[in-house]
Amino acid sequence: MIFPRMVATDLDGTLLTSDRTVSSRTRRALQTARAAGAEIIFVTARAPRGVRAIAEQAGVTGTAICSNGAIVYDLGTDEITGSLPLDPASARTVAQALAEALPGVGLAVETGRAILTEAAYTRRIADDLAYYREVRSVFDEEHPIVKLLALSPAHTADEMAAAVTAVLAGLAEVTHSGEHGLLEISAPGVTKAATLDQLCKERGVDPSEVVAFGDMPNDLAVLAYAGAGYAMANAHPAVLAAIERRTLSNDEDGVAVVLERLYG
């Protein structure tokens, strides 16, 4: 029997349960896939610091795609082996467009190892508190702009995307992973799928040999790229509308259900 050579999976809302853990069933399914020769690639909006502990919990080693494709990360060495940041001049142009379209928007920058926030960016993730540093302007210091984050609590992420996507076309990639009022902005052409494609080419893996899982708009390109892309039952409406293959929700071990069928 011929198995898919690569499993590309999102984490939050996909591989992880709602309490942000890896179930024992999912861990076993991942190990079964690995034993059959598949490489497991996490493809996530998370920064590297938010991935390594999950990999240990899941029993996964090797390479992860982080920050929506802007970072390639070695899980074993804790090294960032590839980075595709947003050009500072372009980021300033993007910030100005955001301010005009969404008055009062708060900005932050993910550097790959830390988060720089302006005063209006009030969002905090409990596990990341040690990595936040408030600055007058995210453009005052030299640092890689892995992701520009835009916060507007008065809007949904879908509303924000509708307001700025056309304006920022060609300047940056705009997406979101479901957080209320939060957009994630990367350099032009930088997506989860583009970085996954590069890894596949390096490994001689054809897209038809990839099975992928996701639940949010930032996963859409990966699900379309893979030979078999599965939307979680709990996925965003745009994902459910675009992706034909479905599996159960993250809390029902939807990833494991498919992997057991493919590799069991």
Side-chain angles (χ1 to χ4, degrees):
M1 182 176 179
I2 299 175
F3 302 110
R5 294 176 59 193
M6 183 178 289
V7 176
T9 181
D10 175 52
L11 295 178
D12 296 282
T14 300
L15 191 77
L16 302 180
T17 60
S18 294
D19 64 2
R20 297 188 176 183
T21 61
V22 180
S23 74
S24 57
R25 181 179 180 182
T26 294
R27 178 185 171 94
R28 288 194 302 270
L30 291 169
Q31 298 313 305
T32 298
R34 291 189 68 188
E39 181 176 10
I40 312 297
I41 302 286
F42 291 163
V43 188
T44 178
R46 288 184 178 227
R49 63 182 172 274
V51 175
R52 201 174 190 192
I54 293 169
E56 291 174 356
Q57 190 182 149
V60 171
T61 59
T63 301
I65 295 171
C66 299
S67 300
N68 286 334
I71 286 178
V72 179
Y73 174 60
D74 188 310
L75 292 165
T77 64
D78 189 33
E79 293 181 0
I80 293 174
T81 59
S83 180
L84 296 166
L86 186 61
D87 174 73
S90 297
R92 287 179 180 271
T93 301
V94 168
Q96 180 61 39
L98 288 168
E100 293 173 1
L102 300 164
V105 68
L107 299 180
V109 160
E110 171 63 65
T111 71
R113 295 296 188 185
I115 305 172
L116 307 181
T117 69
E118 295 181 358
Y121 189 93
T122 55
R123 179 176 183 262
R124 296 292 184 271
I125 299 173
D127 291 344
D128 275 355
L129 291 179
Y131 300 94
Y132 286 92
R133 180 161 65 88
E134 189 168 321
V135 294
R136 187 189 66 83
S137 168
V138 293
F139 302 113
D140 281 350
E141 303 175 32
E142 291 187 8
H143 48 70
I145 304 175
V146 170
K147 279 198 304 184
L148 182 64
L149 302 170
L151 182 71
S152 181
H155 300 86
T156 67
D158 287 327
E159 290 168 344
M160 294 175 71
V164 304
T165 297
V167 176
L168 298 182
L171 289 174
E173 297 292 333
V174 179
T175 191
H176 68 86
S177 50
E179 291 291 338
H180 184 86
L182 183 69
L183 289 185
E184 303 170 48
I185 300 163
S186 304
V190 174
T191 65
K192 289 183 176 185
T195 303
L196 179 64
D197 180 55
Q198 185 59 44
L199 291 186
C200 285
K201 287 176 177 174
E202 292 171 2
R203 290 155 169 74
V205 174
D206 189 83
S208 64
E209 299 174 297
V210 179
V211 58
F213 303 90
D215 72 311
M216 283 293 160
N218 62 338
D219 298 314
L220 268 170
V222 168
L223 298 180
Y225 171 83
Y230 287 84
M232 309 302 291
N234 54 286
H236 186 282
V239 177
L240 294 174
I243 303 302
E244 183 177 348
R245 289 185 180 87
R246 309 282 177 82
T247 186
L248 300 181
S249 73
N250 60 322
D251 287 326
E252 298 171 297
D253 296 315
V255 172
V257 168
V258 175
L259 296 183
E260 289 165 356
R261 184 172 72 247
L262 292 175
Y263 298 98

